[in-house]
Amino acid sequence: MELTGAEILVRCLQEEGVEHIFGYPGGAVLYIYDALYSQGDPQKGGDQHAPVQHILVRHEQAAVHAADAYSRSTEKVGVCLVTSGPGVTNAVTGIATAYMDSIPMVIISGQVPTHAIGEDAFQECDTVGITRPCVKHNFLVKNVKDVAVTIKRAFHIARTGRPGPVLVDIPKDVSKEKCRFEYPKTVEMRSYNPVVKGHLGQLKKAVQLLLGAERPMIYTGGGVVLANAAPELNELVDLLGFPCTNTLMGLGGYRASDPKYVGMPGMHGTYEANMAMQHCDVLLAIGARFDDRVIGNPKHFAQNPRKIIHIDIDPSSISKRVKVDVPIVGDVREAMRDLMALVREAQAGGSAGKPLANWWSQIETWRKRDCLKYDRESRIIKPQFVVEKLWEVTGGDAFVTSDVGQHPMVAAQFYRFDKPRRWINSGGLGTMGVGLPYAMGVKLAHPDAQVACVTGEGSIQMCIQELSTCKQYNLPVKVVNLNNRYLGMVRQWQELEYSGRYSESYMDALPDFVKLAEAYGHVGMRIEAASDVEPALRDAFGKYKDRLVFLDIITDQTENVWPMVQGGKGLTEMLLGSEDL
């Protein structure tokens, strides 16, 4: 049977096991939408495969964000579909967000017919050129015979090596033309063969350093989560007995409830995590990239001598910002398994490692600074209090999405994640507006889970139209809006570094969020007293379990996020509160 390019695309998605695709129709992709509509029709190439459910968002940016979160919260490749021209340019922010955080995705974009490419046709843009800097790879399909193999390659590239988004641009005439369909069973690309196994010699050097350390530290990032290596990380940390810190992208990689977890490092990390990072003598970095928000000033970080072991799937990330002593390129899960085998072999041979009592004593001394303290008796609602109550009400087992500003830092500090893939956040690009579409994607992937979007009154308005999508598909997420009437993080920086000149950071014309939520058919609540926070959250997750609930929580306008490492400063130059100013 001959199928159109559009029908072949849909069959390819079925072969890949895709269950949901997020998108918005337009002229260049109407053949694809027709093929989605006709799934299961034997005359249109339908077969025994389960149909792909299309989720109609209200803006293309939200389509990419939702597919992104779908991937982050599962082990699957997220998929979205947008039309040419403004459809794909609207999607670029979401693509760049996924690219910065190494999220495996496939973006299908429509394009003007091949004969019109380069003619400034209606809704034409150079999709390949525009997206090249923010994708792992992209394709322009010019022949219908190449659709199936291109989709196979796109999924393979997206999910292997260091994951990332891959875009496939399909001209309208290619989606209309016909050919025989055969989906490749395997894919081979001579120019793309990522290394998986870590070098045995380097692993042995790493074990020697680790067992000889007096002040060891394990620093892990999003690579552990993406590689589904949290079980191996927990086993490795418990085997060695070393302190462990997880970056913003790595939260939940090692369980936060364990005393060996010292909190998040970096700009808004804990005092004990930053001091341990700076003063350790051997640092084991796993799936992390020594980001500027994590280590602060590289020159300051390099002042203290230490040996650094770095395990990462991407060789370009090793010694990129910080010179390392033992580079290990490979899949972090495989590398940790091999590392543990070597450690156990060494321990069986009598190499138990150095005693760490003095090191742990020092860490406990740093912990006593209680760097995350805040006024728990305040009558004005503190954002930290809200997140702590959210953690209690959900039993610490919710999927938590967030936007960007003060609220994600508070959520990262006070929602103690014991499992990976529960924290869904834009780490690298810092994209406002992701929280609600992230929550949509997570809820579709995990319909029975508790999903909370912790957001702010500035961020939520960037994709608030997706309340309509939530209504259409009955997605009962809980929106926890920490409303301080400011662009909070901007205000904090303006207070600390711009002498309190609050230029355009005050939100002077906010909507009535309760009425707005109700206008979309949801439940709205306004909470102004600290004593009402917990009852409102319990109602949201209990009484209104099957409804989207928008909790507009009026929080302290003056509250800042502490600790804080200012730009250009080193890890140990933290501000722990206003008294340090």
Side-chain angles (χ1 to χ4, degrees):
M1 180 183 295
E2 286 198 336
L3 304 178
T4 66
E7 291 160 354
I8 288 170
L9 169 63
V10 173
R11 286 285 300 275
C12 291
L13 297 179
Q14 292 173 340
E15 290 283 350
E16 288 290 341
V18 174
E19 296 175 342
H20 294 92
I21 182 170
F22 303 85
Y24 202 92
V29 288
L30 286 184
Y31 286 112
I32 298 172
Y33 273 87
D34 189 57
L36 286 167
Y37 182 87
S38 303
Q39 292 177 85
D41 181 352
Q43 300 301 316
K44 297 281 188 177
D47 63 358
Q48 75 280 5
H49 288 89
V52 180
Q53 183 185 3
H54 181 275
I55 305 299
L56 176 65
V57 298
R58 301 310 188 256
H59 191 284
E60 290 90 353
Q61 180 177 339
V64 190
H65 291 328
D68 175 348
Y70 191 95
S71 177
R72 290 179 196 247
S73 67
T74 65
E75 300 176 17
K76 302 175 182 177
V77 176
V79 184
C80 58
L81 171 62
V82 298
T83 194
S84 63
V88 77
T89 57
N90 281 346
V92 167
T93 296
I95 297 169
T97 300
Y99 177 71
M100 287 287 281
D101 291 345
S102 304
I103 306 304
M105 287 178 57
V106 171
I107 303 97
I108 310 296
S109 61
Q111 184 54 276
V112 300
T114 52
H115 64 81
I117 293 175
E119 300 292 329
D120 292 333
F122 178 68
Q123 291 193 333
E124 181 192 0
C125 72
D126 179 7
T127 297
V128 168
I130 288 171
T131 61
R132 183 175 287 120
C134 59
V135 293
K136 185 176 178 183
H137 195 65
N138 58 20
F139 298 92
L140 172 61
V141 184
K142 294 185 177 181
N143 190 314
V144 66
K145 295 178 181 178
D146 295 330
V147 171
V149 69
T150 301
I151 296 299
K152 183 72 174 181
R153 287 174 177 170
F155 275 86
H156 175 68
I157 293 170
R159 65 164 62 101
T160 56
R162 179 176 181 172
V166 178
L167 182 137
V168 181
D169 200 31
I170 304 179
K172 189 170 184 177
D173 57 322
V174 172
S175 65
K176 181 183 179 181
E177 291 167 0
K178 289 187 174 184
C179 73
R180 285 192 60 198
F181 169 67
E182 183 177 350
Y183 198 57
K185 290 184 170 51
T186 60
V187 59
E188 290 186 10
M189 301 176 67
R190 187 175 61 181
S191 60
Y192 178 71
N193 289 292
V195 175
V196 176
K197 294 290 287 183
H199 189 277
L200 182 60
Q202 295 295 87
L203 287 164
K204 287 180 177 178
K205 288 180 185 177
V207 169
Q208 188 175 7
L209 283 175
L210 291 169
L211 295 182
E214 296 180 354
R215 303 185 308 279
M217 180 75 174
I218 297 177
Y219 149 57
T220 77
V224 170
V225 176
L226 291 168
N228 302 309
E232 285 76 12
L233 174 62
N234 279 262
E235 188 179 351
L236 176 64
V237 174
D238 293 346
L239 175 65
L240 293 170
F242 293 175
C244 180
T245 181
N246 297 333
T247 68
L248 185 71
M249 295 306 302
L251 293 179
Y254 185 73
R255 58 192 186 277
S257 59
D258 194 282
K260 291 188 287 299
Y261 179 65
V262 294
M264 183 175 69
M267 177 173 281
H268 296 293
T270 66
Y271 183 74
E272 52 268 31
N274 284 348
M275 294 297 284
M277 283 275 285
Q278 187 67 14
H279 294 288
C280 65
D281 62 351
V282 174
L283 179 64
L284 172 58
I286 308 173
R289 56 190 181 93
F290 294 91
D291 177 74
D292 58 300
R293 289 293 178 102
V294 170
I295 66 163
N297 187 327
K299 290 183 179 178
H300 180 277
F301 186 73
Q303 285 176 358
N304 290 19
R306 63 174 80 73
K307 296 293 185 182
I308 298 177
I309 305 157
H310 191 179
I311 303 174
D312 203 283
I313 190 70
D314 182 4
S316 72
S317 289
I318 295 178
S319 290
K320 185 175 184 178
R321 299 194 74 242
V322 172
K323 185 179 181 300
V324 305
D325 300 280
V326 182
I328 300 171
V329 177
D331 179 83
V332 296
R333 181 167 59 176
E334 294 294 324
M336 279 193 284
R337 288 174 176 173
D338 292 341
L339 194 65
M340 282 188 286
L342 292 171
V343 168
R344 289 192 174 99
E345 184 181 312
Q347 290 174 338
S351 300
K354 297 288 183 71
L356 302 178
N358 290 340
W359 180 227
W360 274 113
S361 176
Q362 176 62 75
I363 290 172
E364 293 305 321
T365 300
W366 289 327
R367 266 186 175 143
K368 288 175 183 175
R369 293 292 297 270
D370 193 14
C371 66
L372 298 181
K373 64 179 181 292
Y374 69 94
D375 182 7
R376 286 182 163 81
E377 306 304 318
S378 172
R379 292 186 179 181
I380 303 174
I381 301 173
K382 298 289 186 180
Q384 301 95 324
F385 176 78
V386 177
V387 175
E388 285 191 322
K389 288 301 176 185
L390 176 65
W391 181 82
E392 290 176 17
V393 168
T394 60
D397 201 36
F399 287 86
V400 179
T401 74
S402 83
D403 280 287
V404 172
Q406 288 179 319
H407 58 271
M409 296 300 101
V410 173
Q413 290 173 337
F414 288 89
Y415 200 99
R416 300 187 290 279
F417 294 93
D418 274 351
K419 298 176 183 177
R421 297 189 182 273
R422 295 302 175 104
W423 169 240
I424 314 296
N425 170 257
S426 170
L429 197 64
T431 305
M432 292 177 70
V434 297
L436 182 56
Y438 271 1
M440 291 169 12
V442 172
K443 192 64 178 175
L444 281 159
H446 307 274
D448 297 326
Q450 299 177 109
V451 180
C453 167
V454 178
T455 186
E457 77 291 338
S459 287
I460 191 63
Q461 292 189 82
M462 291 199 170
C463 280
I464 202 163
Q465 73 283 341
E466 298 311 315
L467 288 173
S468 176
T469 307
C470 292
K471 180 64 177 176
Q472 180 171 345
Y473 296 98
N474 188 28
L475 303 176
V477 302
K478 315 307 173 189
V479 180
V480 181
N481 185 38
L482 302 180
N483 185 347
N484 64 4
R485 290 83 75 208
Y486 271 104
L487 298 177
M489 191 59 81
V490 173
R491 182 205 58 76
Q492 178 169 337
W493 279 73
Q494 288 173 336
E495 176 187 333
L496 301 182
E497 300 198 6
Y498 298 87
S499 303
R501 295 186 293 277
Y502 301 122
S503 177
E504 305 302 326
S505 55
Y506 180 62
M507 305 294 282
D508 203 18
L510 292 172
D512 184 327
F513 287 110
V514 172
K515 290 182 179 177
L516 186 60
E518 290 172 348
Y520 277 106
H522 304 303
V523 176
M525 299 182 186
R526 184 178 173 92
I527 300 97
E528 300 183 78
S531 59
D532 293 333
V533 170
E534 184 175 343
L537 286 168
R538 292 200 180 278
D539 279 350
F541 286 96
K543 180 179 178 182
Y544 299 112
K545 175 181 150 184
D546 298 324
R547 300 282 301 279
L548 184 148
V549 181
F550 194 114
L551 299 105
D552 187 24
I553 304 177
I554 309 305
T555 61
D556 189 344
Q557 287 188 287
T558 65
E559 189 71 10
N560 287 330
V561 179
W562 307 111
M564 178 180 178
V565 179
Q566 293 174 286
K569 299 291 186 179
L571 274 184
T572 59
E573 300 175 303
M574 288 167 280
L575 301 177
L576 299 188
S578 56
E579 66 275 7
D580 288 342
L581 296 174

